[in-house]
Amino acid sequence: MSLILILGTSFAALAQSKGLAAVEPRMRVIVDNDFSGDPDGLFQLAHLLMSPSVDIRAIIGSHLNERDGFDPSKTQADNAAKKAREVLQAMNVTKNIPVFAGSNTAMVNDSTPVKNEAVNFIIQEALRTDTKTPLYVVCGAGLTEIASAALTNPMIANKLTIIWIGGPEYSDLALPPPGFSEVEYNLNIDQAAARAVFNRSSLPLWQIPRNVYRQCLLSYAQLLTKVKPRGKVGAYLSGTLETLMARIQRFINIGETYILGDSPLVLLTALQSSFEPDPSSSYYVIRQAPRINQAGTYIHNHAGRPIRVYTQLDTNLMFADFFAKLELMNP
């Protein structure tokens, strides 16, 4: 899949002149995010769609916590899938990328999977035998679909890597922010799914906990100068964020930055190093996967499998690449 197949003709022609069209995909990615919630997921999706080293196999719109103020409806996953399609339309995407609505509700417990087309697709893609291209399932919200896929068919465990934005701080690595919630936001979307992934599965996992995704600060000045002027997609993305910022500002003075906490899903996939591919400009530690208890917090697990826990992100590369690709698409 080339860049020309992914994007509309105007960007494709420009990108070809700049050399980006020569970039071939070297990884498969399934995107799973709560697109009807915090608009950071929309920014992440647009950035990934502009990244020619990634073969996006499917997009899954996932649910929020049932009491979430972003979308208090009973059709959160359906709404998320609709938002994903809006991004595809704003970007004039011509490739037929499947968009699935995941479950509109969380798992009932950590051993009973939900059943839907998104879960089936993850399993099908993971078990492909016609390619050796690495598969990443990148999750910017809850873990309902990937947990369900692993419970439904444990054979996928050695066929993919999960990259998850979520989980609280590890006490020896960072302190929580002022006024923090005991149960981290994304983990609280589906605590049973988080327990299924951490406690019951052997899935390879790269985790970006709260103290790390909070590093991804976009300034309002950057939004106005680097995103908003960049055509239909820039206007769409900035509009979603400005609308939310104005809404929040009525209750909380949020200053002049916003956390685009889902963008590391692009940094750790599309922007891996050229030789010996890996996210070489970001830092992590290897930890034994903790258990997640009924209260939604960590318990040390001496038998836990090794997982990556990221501690510092190359946000300069991440945002500079995003702005550059927007400029190429909309000079």
Side-chain angles (χ1 to χ4, degrees):
M1 180 180 66
S2 70
L3 187 64
I4 294 175
L5 289 175
I6 301 177
L7 301 172
T9 55
S10 60
F11 182 36
L14 178 64
Q16 190 169 28
S17 70
K18 298 294 184 180
L20 276 182
V23 177
E24 293 291 334
R26 60 177 182 173
M27 64 187 68
R28 295 171 292 148
V29 169
I30 296 173
V31 183
D32 184 332
N33 217 326
D34 56 351
F35 300 111
S36 72
D38 191 325
D40 61 345
L42 303 175
F43 281 74
Q44 170 260 316
L45 178 58
H47 192 177
L48 209 56
L49 285 164
M50 292 188 290
S51 301
S53 64
V54 169
D55 178 3
I56 300 179
R57 302 301 302 160
I59 300 167
I60 300 170
S62 58
H63 67 90
L64 299 153
N65 187 282
E66 63 180 353
R67 295 176 295 277
D68 198 289
F70 280 115
D71 181 356
S73 75
K74 302 293 186 182
T75 56
Q76 295 167 342
D78 299 288
N79 297 342
K82 181 181 178 181
K83 286 285 187 181
R85 293 188 185 99
E86 287 180 3
V87 174
L88 295 174
Q89 182 177 14
M91 296 182 69
N92 297 318
V93 173
T94 58
K95 184 179 185 296
N96 183 22
I97 301 174
V99 178
F100 300 103
S103 173
N104 282 305
T105 58
M107 291 170 53
V108 295
N109 56 50
D110 63 6
S111 60
T112 305
V114 302
K115 299 182 184 300
N116 55 45
E117 290 184 340
V119 172
N120 294 340
F121 186 90
I122 292 172
I123 295 170
Q124 174 186 321
E125 187 66 30
L127 296 181
R128 282 177 60 185
T129 58
D130 61 333
T131 179
K132 294 184 179 179
T133 307
L135 174 62
Y136 294 89
V137 178
V138 298
C139 301
L143 294 167
T144 306
E145 268 63 47
I146 184 59
S148 296
L151 287 169
T152 302
N153 191 332
M155 289 179 62
I156 70 171
N158 63 347
K159 307 291 187 183
L160 58 85
T161 298
I162 305 174
I163 305 178
W164 180 48
I165 308 289
E169 299 74 13
Y170 288 81
S171 59
D172 61 328
L173 295 177
L175 295 173
F180 68 98
S181 57
E182 190 72 23
V183 183
E184 186 272 333
Y185 181 89
N186 282 349
L187 192 156
N188 196 44
I189 290 175
D190 192 340
Q191 292 191 38
R195 289 195 299 272
V197 169
F198 277 77
N199 304 359
R200 300 177 65 92
S201 84
S202 57
L203 290 162
L205 173 63
W206 298 358
Q207 183 186 6
I208 301 93
R210 177 170 52 194
N211 60 297
V212 182
Y213 68 69
R214 282 171 51 83
Q215 296 172 14
C216 304
L217 292 173
L218 178 80
S219 77
Y220 192 35
Q222 287 175 311
L223 181 73
L224 294 178
T225 60
K226 300 293 188 181
V227 181
K228 191 171 185 176
R230 296 303 177 189
K232 187 177 179 181
V233 65
Y236 174 83
L237 293 173
S238 61
T240 62
L241 192 50
E242 285 188 287
T243 299
L244 175 63
M245 291 172 73
R247 174 183 162 195
I248 296 174
Q249 197 70 36
R250 296 199 299 267
F251 308 99
I252 304 171
N253 185 347
I254 60 172
E256 56 183 282
T257 65
Y258 197 83
I259 301 169
L260 292 186
D262 289 341
S263 291
L265 299 177
V266 185
L267 175 67
L268 302 183
T269 53
L271 300 180
Q272 292 185 12
S273 56
S274 50
F275 299 102
E276 298 86 34
D278 201 54
S280 60
S281 61
S282 297
Y283 299 99
Y284 64 88
V285 296
I286 298 293
R287 282 294 169 89
Q288 289 175 302
R291 293 185 64 80
I292 295 178
N293 62 20
Q294 292 293 327
T297 57
Y298 300 138
I299 297 176
H300 177 69
N301 178 12
H302 66 85
R305 69 192 184 283
I307 63 172
R308 287 191 186 189
V309 178
Y310 275 84
T311 59
Q312 186 174 339
L313 300 170
D314 187 351
T315 57
N316 180 63
L317 171 64
M318 183 179 75
F319 284 125
D321 183 76
F322 177 54
F323 299 148
K325 284 171 177 168
L326 278 176
E327 185 174 357
L328 283 173
M329 187 176 182
N330 300 278

